[in-house]
Amino acid sequence: MLLTFLKGIVIGMCNVIPGVSGGTVIVIFDMYEEFLSILSLNIKRTLKNWRFLVPVLLGMASGVLLFSKLITLLYKYFPVQTNFCFTGLILGSIPLLCSYVFGNRAPKESSASTDNKKSLAGIISSVICILAGLALIVGFYILKQKLDAGPAEFELPPFTWNLAFIIFIAGILGAVTMIIPGISGSLIMLIMGVYPIIITAIPQLFNPSEFVHALILLLPNGVGVIIGLLGGAWLIKLLLRKVPNQTYAVILGLIAGSVINVFPGFSAIDSFGKGAGSVFALLCGAALAYFGSKTPKTEEKAA
């Protein structure tokens, strides 16, 4: 439960970074199917998984609340090393996804046979889905290049019903994309123009003089996020049951393509210290993703 809580913190942290997908990190930690299951409307099943549900939700909330400011500082003072760490996380998750798409590993939710993985038609359809995922990420990357301005300090705007409606819709769309690996929910909010409001309002919850103001701006977003999570989880669970290979192939393409969103390029390394730190961060991220994805399976075998 402690390990799940710590992973939840990382997921929450990533969900406040435009261009970094929280869904990617959920897949990296091999928690995707468990995460979808707790978002189902099956209350009995959800409560049965409380040992996963409680720590991951507490961890995500802690990651968003406590690290929304820290992430901004990391990108301000250590942007290259931070991006290399996220690049390592993505690369370290590739073997896990390949085992779902082309190997003998089958998603828990799937009711389909895994025999078609090695058939010619299965391989062709998987490759097409991977390319589709890559193409989608490239499109989002081009859009991000036009909009990317980085987090900045903003004053909280006055509350209006029109603004609340926009924040609500952004919450729905952001949540749906948040659980799709490779697509950043924060990027969707940035596109809709509400990201500066949200990222500024979260730290203001700790400011007594601005608490009420920040809370009424965040509430529409929170309601929208809940609706988007439930609807998006239902759709993805359906796809995993009916077409698991193709679904994970698209996810593989999304995650592999998301490297372009975070990799800073070797030209960003302008000193030996920065280079050493970047390599260390890359290796730590890759090791965390690779070995972190194996932990739940090891525990299952031991049990």
Side-chain angles (χ1 to χ4, degrees):
M1 290 178 69
L2 176 60
L3 181 61
T4 302
F5 173 74
L6 295 175
K7 290 179 178 179
I9 290 178
V10 178
I11 296 168
M13 291 171 59
C14 294
N15 279 325
V16 301
I17 307 173
V20 178
S21 168
T24 297
V25 181
I26 295 172
V27 173
I28 285 171
F29 287 144
D30 200 13
M31 301 164 61
Y32 198 60
E33 292 166 54
E34 290 85 353
F35 189 81
L36 292 178
S37 69
I38 68 173
L39 296 175
S40 67
L41 298 179
N42 189 332
I43 304 300
K44 183 178 180 180
R45 183 177 180 183
T46 300
L47 293 177
K48 185 178 179 181
N49 294 331
W50 71 271
R51 287 181 175 272
F52 176 82
L53 171 66
V54 173
V56 76
L57 292 183
L58 287 177
M60 290 176 65
S62 300
V64 172
L65 291 173
L66 300 178
F67 290 93
S68 57
K69 191 68 176 178
L70 176 61
I71 287 295
T72 304
L73 293 175
L74 285 174
Y75 267 100
K76 180 178 180 181
Y77 295 106
F78 306 102
V80 177
Q81 295 90 335
T82 302
N83 278 326
F84 265 97
C85 182
F86 281 117
T87 301
L89 283 170
I90 294 170
L91 295 177
S93 69
I94 299 299
L96 170 69
L97 289 169
C98 286
S99 70
Y100 275 131
V101 178
F102 300 109
N104 296 321
R105 199 168 184 177
K108 300 172 189 175
E109 296 288 339
S110 172
S111 60
S113 171
T114 58
D115 293 340
N116 66 338
K117 286 185 177 184
K118 297 187 174 71
S119 68
L120 181 60
I123 292 174
I124 292 175
S125 65
S126 295
V127 171
I128 291 174
C129 290
I130 292 172
L131 294 176
L134 283 169
L136 185 60
I137 284 297
V138 170
F140 269 88
Y141 175 75
I142 294 172
L143 184 59
K144 179 177 180 290
Q145 290 297 103
K146 297 179 180 180
L147 297 171
D148 191 14
E153 296 295 332
F154 294 89
E155 293 184 0
L156 293 179
F159 175 85
T160 65
W161 288 108
N162 288 338
L163 178 61
F165 180 74
I166 294 173
I167 293 175
F168 169 71
I169 297 299
I172 294 177
L173 297 178
V176 171
T177 53
M178 183 186 74
I179 58 177
I180 300 176
I183 302 179
S184 167
S186 296
L187 176 58
I188 298 300
M189 294 188 186
L190 184 67
I191 292 170
M192 297 190 67
V194 304
Y195 178 79
I197 299 173
I198 302 302
I199 202 65
T200 304
I202 292 174
Q204 292 301 320
L205 291 174
F206 299 98
N207 183 353
S209 63
E210 290 286 349
F211 173 79
V212 175
H213 187 188
L215 183 63
I216 63 173
L217 288 174
L218 289 173
L219 277 177
N221 188 258
V223 174
V225 165
I226 293 173
I227 295 174
L229 284 175
L230 294 176
W234 175 83
L235 176 60
I236 294 175
K237 282 174 67 67
L238 178 64
L239 292 173
L240 284 175
R241 281 198 302 268
K242 300 300 182 182
V243 283
N245 295 348
Q246 290 75 12
T247 302
Y248 268 107
V250 173
I251 291 174
L252 174 58
L254 291 171
I255 289 185
S258 65
V259 170
I260 64 176
N261 281 316
V262 295
F263 182 62
F266 295 107
S267 60
I269 301 175
D270 53 12
S271 67
F272 176 80
K274 184 179 289 187
S278 299
V279 171
F280 179 74
L282 178 73
L283 293 176
C284 285
L288 180 62
Y290 182 76
F291 294 107
S293 66
K294 289 180 173 295
T295 301
K297 302 304 173 185
T298 303
E299 291 173 351
E300 284 177 10
K301 291 178 182 178

